Amino acid sequence: MFSTKIYLDNAATTKVSDRVLNAMLPYLKEAYGNPSSIYTIGREASIAITNARSRCAELLGAKPAEIYFTSGGSESDNWAIRTVAAQGAANGKKHIITSAFEHHAVLHTLQDLEKQGFEVTYLPVYENGIVKAEDVKSALRPDTALVTIMYANNEIGTIQPIAEIGAICREHKVLFHTDAVQAIPHLHIDVVKENIDLLSASGHKLHAPKGVGLLYCRRGIRLTPYISGGAQERGLRAGTENVSGIVALAEAMTAASEVMDETNEKHKKYAKKIYDTVMQIPRVRFNGDWEHRIPGTVNFSFEGVEGESLLLQLDLKGIAASSGSACTSGSLDPSHVLLALGLVHEVAHGSLRISMSEYTTEEEIDELISVLPGIIEKLRAMSPLWERLTKEENK
Ligand SMILES: *Cc1c(COP(=O)(O)O)cnc(C)c1O
C-alpha cells in the first residue's frame, strides 16, 4: 500500500496540504462544538464558519450571504441546476442550455430533468474543446431557464469563455451557472465581473478534504431548500455543518490564490516538457487547446494503446495518472469528453490525462517523460490494433 511515488492525477483529487490540515485540526479536536450551540466551543465553531464564508466570498468577488457550504461539487451542481429548473418550470420555462462535455454531476442531473419534461440543448465543443459564446446566444429561446457551462474541463483542462457567456445570459435575463470545480485551484475568478449567477466549487480538488464544497448563488436568486431539517445555511441546507471541512475549504482557496500565478508558470514549463517528449512518439494526439487551458492539465491520445493498460504500466513505475475521468474508468465506455471532441472510440480509449498540483516537481515530470515513451512502445508491440494500423500503413 501507499506505493505511489509520483501523483499526477490532481484533477481527480488532491492531497490535503499541511497548511490546510493545520487550519482544520483545532475544529476537530478543540473547538468541536456544534455551531448552533451557545456555549464557547459552539460559538468558536460558528465564528469559524462565518470567517470561512467571508474569505470564500472575497476570493470569488461575492458577498458572504451568497455562499452556501455543501458536501462538494456534485451537490452544488445538483442544487443549482435543480433549483433553477424548478423555478423556470413554474414560469413555463423548461429549456436548458449546456455543453456536450460537462461533468457527469451536471449531465446526469440534466438527463434526469429531461425525463421530467425539460428540453436540453447540448452545445458542441469543437475539436479544441471550447464552447463558442455565439452558440450559446443562438441557442437561447424565450423558454430558456438556465445556461450551465463548466469553467474548465476536468479531462482536458480547456477554459471556456465564461465572461462572454455570462454577459450574453445577463443581457437576455437567463440565469447562468458554471461548474468551476477545476478552475478554482488555478484561475482568479470574479463572479460579478463575469456575470456568473451560480457557481460550484469543491474542496478536494484544491488540497482540502473530500466532502466539502460551496455553491455561490447571486443575491436575488432564491435557492430552493435542498435538505430539510435544522436551520443551517439560512434554512436551505439542513445538517450540522462540516466545520473543519468548511475551514479547510476557505484555507485551501486562500492558499491556492496566493500561489496561483507562480504555480501556473511552473506548470506551463512542465507541460511543455511533457508535450515535447510525447509529440515525438508516432501517432499521438494532443487533446484540447494549448493556449486556453489550465496549464497543469494535459491530455494525449495514443493510437494502438489501451488506456487502462497504460495506467497499469505507469502504476508499476509508481506513477498515478488517469485515462478518461475517474468516474468512468470503472467502465469500458470511452470518455464522453474525448468523444465530444470528435475522437473515434479506439483513439479515445488510448488517452492519458496528466494533472499537476502546486506540489508537483520537475523531477517528477522528468521521471514521467523518461518512462512514458518506453511504455507506449512496449504496449504497442503487444497490441493487435497497433499491428493492424501499421500494416495498413505499409501497404
Ligand atoms: C470533481 C468534479 C466534480 C465533483 O466534485 P465532488 O466534490 O467530487 O462531488 C464536479 N465537476 C467537476 C468539473 C469536477 O472536476
Side-chain angles (χ1 to χ4, degrees):
M1 232 193 148
F2 302 142
S3 59
T4 293
K5 292 187 311 238
I6 300 177
Y7 185 74
L8 294 170
D9 201 14
N10 291 280
T13 195
T14 59
K15 72 169 176 184
V16 174
S17 68
D18 290 343
R19 173 172 168 176
V20 167
L21 185 64
N22 289 331
M24 67 189 290
L25 272 178
Y27 297 95
L28 290 167
K29 298 177 76 171
E30 289 135 31
Y32 53 78
N34 189 315
S36 303
S37 305
I38 59 161
Y39 41 74
T40 307
I41 58 168
R43 282 204 314 273
E44 280 169 355
S46 164
I47 291 167
I49 294 176
T50 303
N51 289 341
R53 204 184 301 280
S54 302
R55 285 168 79 182
C56 292
E58 198 186 323
L59 288 163
L60 294 170
K63 297 181 195 76
E66 297 173 318
I67 303 295
Y68 298 83
F69 291 113
T70 66
S71 68
S74 300
E75 182 186 325
S76 299
D77 286 342
N78 270 266
W79 194 5
I81 294 169
R82 290 180 193 278
T83 285
V84 176
Q87 290 171 9
N91 294 316
K93 294 182 173 184
K94 295 189 84 172
H95 176 238
I96 299 173
I97 298 169
T98 190
S99 80
F101 75 166
E102 297 294 311
H103 190 273
H104 283 138
V106 169
L107 286 182
H108 290 168
T109 303
L110 293 174
Q111 282 163 15
D112 190 28
L113 290 171
E114 281 178 309
K115 285 186 206 133
Q116 298 171 33
F118 284 83
E119 229 184 291
V120 180
T121 300
Y122 298 89
L123 296 178
V125 296
Y126 302 95
E127 210 195 333
N128 64 351
I130 299 180
V131 169
K132 289 189 176 141
E134 58 263 35
D135 286 352
V136 174
K137 194 169 179 176
S138 338
L140 286 172
R141 307 193 322 208
D143 65 339
T144 305
L146 172 71
V147 172
T148 173
I149 305 277
M150 70 198 320
Y151 209 117
N153 182 269
N154 45 303
E155 290 187 38
I156 58 175
T158 49
I159 300 167
Q160 308 306 309
I162 292 303
E164 267 179 84
I165 297 171
I168 291 167
C169 292
R170 190 60 57 88
E171 189 194 333
H172 292 83
K173 298 191 168 59
V174 172
L175 293 179
F176 175 41
H177 165 254
T178 186
D179 173 339
V181 171
Q182 292 291 333
I184 296 281
H186 308 286
L187 301 170
H188 300 285
I189 295 174
D190 187 312
V191 290
V192 174
K193 284 201 193 118
E194 297 167 58
N195 286 307
I196 297 167
D197 294 310
L198 302 110
L199 172 146
S200 306
S202 173
H204 75 98
K205 306 285 173 81
L206 76 161
H207 307 292
K210 295 153 189 67
V212 66
L214 66 77
L215 173 61
Y216 152 79
C217 179
R218 187 168 59 81
R219 229 166 97 182
I221 302 165
R222 196 171 37 85
L223 274 178
T224 310
Y226 195 64
I227 300 178
S228 40
Q232 291 91 354
E233 299 303 298
R234 299 175 206 94
L236 297 176
R237 185 194 186 269
T240 305
E241 297 90 337
N242 175 5
V243 183
S244 60
I246 288 168
V247 169
L249 175 62
E251 189 71 18
M253 282 175 60
T254 309
S257 80
E258 285 170 12
V259 298
M260 206 170 268
D261 300 334
E262 187 190 317
T263 303
N264 281 338
E265 283 313 307
K266 191 174 89 169
H267 287 174
K268 271 182 198 158
K269 181 176 157 199
Y270 297 172
K272 182 70 171 54
K273 262 194 157 179
I274 299 171
Y275 184 89
D276 288 346
T277 300
V278 168
M279 296 312 277
Q280 302 285 322
I281 300 171
R283 289 193 180 233
V284 60
R285 198 196 123 103
F286 168 78
N287 294 316
D289 188 283
W290 190 257
E291 290 303 320
H292 300 100
R293 184 177 51 84
I294 291 170
T297 298
V298 281
N299 190 309
F300 300 94
S301 292
F302 303 92
E303 283 185 48
V305 170
E306 219 252 307
E308 316 286 306
S309 316
L310 175 53
L311 295 191
L312 291 174
Q313 291 296 319
L314 286 170
D315 190 36
L316 289 174
K317 306 272 184 194
I319 300 173
S322 155
S323 174
S325 73
C327 324
T328 47
S329 341
S331 75
L332 280 174
D333 289 337
S335 138
H336 71 286
V337 172
L338 299 178
L339 295 182
L341 302 185
L343 268 68
V344 297
H345 278 231
E346 296 105 86
V347 179
H349 261 307
S351 72
L352 175 68
R353 175 186 71 185
I354 295 152
S355 51
M356 310 167 205
S357 82
E358 63 173 284
Y359 300 102
T360 303
T361 65
E362 188 153 12
E363 290 71 37
E364 292 177 327
I365 298 302
D366 288 342
E367 174 73 17
L368 168 77
I369 59 185
S370 76
V371 301
L372 186 56
I375 291 175
I376 300 293
E377 209 181 304
K378 179 171 150 188
L379 290 172
R380 280 177 170 171
M382 307 186 300
S383 154
L385 178 62
W386 179 250
E387 199 183 348
R388 208 181 69 212
L389 283 168
T390 42
K391 257 195 201 133
E392 274 165 18
E393 201 161 69
N394 294 335
K395 258 186 212 155

